Amino acid sequence: MRKLFVLIITCLPFMLIAQSNDYKIYDVKNSRIITSQELVMSLRDVDVIFFGEEHNDSVGHWLEADLFKQLFSSYPKTALSLEMFHTDVQVILDEYLSGNISERNFIKESRAWNNYKDYKPLIEFAKEKGLDVTAANAATRYSNLVTKSGLAGLKLLSKSSRTFLPPLPIDTAGGKYYSKFIEMMGAHRMGQMKIYQTQNLWDATMAWSITKYIKKHKGTKILQINGRFHSDDQLGTFAKFKKQRADLSLSNISCFYADDFSNPNWEKYKHLGDYIVVTDPKIKRSY
């Protein structure tokens, strides 16, 4: 057993190097590749960090957890906000973080995503360190309602139901964001406006959730993790939050696996965020 422990400790630096070789971080403002440590240092004065991910990018998930740990180490007043959990399960998330319920109950009753294993390191670190985690997104039943009836359908909900949602009416962002959405939809255009309104519901709910948390916990640095469409080009959730809290400093990270990983075309990607993270497409995906 002692020999195994020594072997693990000896190999650990190489394991970490292997992980760091699986991604590259580009600082757009300074036009250079940086380390994750340099990234954390550059985020010193940033209040809310939007990390836009591909949900099935295993390297991206590893980096999220590593970044969260480094942020806490450098700025102990740090909290997490996640698209992957809905506002109506906040109490369940809090119960698990406090150690009051089992992981099995937590996963089941919080309706955790099928790839929860990818977010588990974030949750477990927050639990270990006593850090807050915000369940930021709108529940699927409300998304389905909007997809069926449009945002106007939310007005039919009871007052108690609307406590899990941002104030109505919800603005639907136009311009560049709408154009991006239509381009993403491609040929699948049936009912696209209502689907676009659902996208705006997610954005508005996450922005509202972060705003509520910061109002109660001033001076806390927030790491918000969401699918990158919600924050790329500083649109979506990013734009809605910025409109609500123009006084705060924001930054966005766009993380994705890139076919040109060996020699990235940073010029092609730099519009997406303040920091661009490309990951090796050869690494096994989460699902």
Side-chain angles (χ1 to χ4, degrees), residues 29-231:
K29 181 179 179 180
N30 296 297
S31 303
R32 68 186 187 95
I33 295 176
I34 60 174
T35 65
S36 62
Q37 291 81 13
E38 290 174 310
L39 172 60
V40 170
M41 289 177 61
S42 70
L43 295 171
R44 178 184 58 192
D45 298 323
V46 176
D47 299 301
V48 183
I49 304 143
F50 289 79
F51 191 110
E53 64 165 33
E54 296 284 352
H55 296 318
N56 65 344
D57 185 354
S58 56
V59 176
H61 291 309
W62 182 90
L63 181 58
E64 288 166 354
D66 182 61
L67 179 59
F68 187 37
K69 293 174 183 178
Q70 289 194 55
L71 285 171
F72 170 72
S73 179
S74 297
Y75 320 106
K77 202 174 180 181
T78 294
L80 187 65
S81 177
L82 298 174
E83 173 194 358
M84 299 78 203
F85 291 94
H86 303 138
T87 56
D88 63 335
V89 303
Q90 183 68 61
V91 64
I92 300 169
L93 178 54
D94 291 342
E95 287 170 350
Y96 180 67
L97 293 173
S98 299
N100 296 325
I101 62 173
S102 69
E103 181 182 45
R104 181 178 180 181
N105 286 132
F106 163 62
I107 291 173
K108 179 181 179 180
E109 297 184 37
S110 69
R111 307 189 302 274
W113 284 14
N114 291 336
N115 66 323
Y116 172 68
K117 61 180 175 60
D118 294 318
Y119 305 104
K120 179 175 178 176
L122 292 163
I123 297 294
E124 293 302 322
F125 184 76
K127 183 180 180 182
E128 175 190 344
K129 301 299 182 182
L131 305 179
D132 291 335
V133 182
T134 296
N137 205 3
T140 304
R141 62 185 181 274
Y142 302 136
S143 302
N144 290 343
L145 173 60
V146 173
T147 302
K148 178 183 177 182
S149 305
L151 286 168
L154 298 176
K155 296 179 182 178
L156 304 176
L157 294 171
S158 67
K159 186 176 180 180
S160 59
S161 294
R162 292 201 301 270
T163 61
F164 299 118
L165 296 169
L168 301 179
I170 294 172
D171 292 334
T172 51
K176 185 176 180 180
Y177 194 53
Y178 180 70
S179 298
K180 278 187 65 178
F181 180 82
I182 295 301
E183 182 180 354
M184 178 186 70
M185 288 288 289
H188 306 287
R189 299 197 172 194
M190 185 173 293
Q192 63 184 6
M193 180 51 70
K194 290 178 181 176
I195 298 174
Y196 179 66
Q197 289 183 352
T198 302
Q199 179 80 14
N200 278 264
L201 170 64
W202 294 334
D203 291 327
T205 306
M206 287 189 280
W208 170 71
S209 297
I210 302 168
T211 297
K212 282 203 309 176
Y213 181 84
I214 286 186
K215 188 175 182 180
K216 294 180 180 178
H217 304 85
K218 294 180 180 179
T220 301
K221 189 182 293 293
I222 308 294
L223 175 61
Q224 156 72 12
I225 295 177
N226 50 248
R228 68 187 186 94
F229 195 88
H230 292 290
S231 52

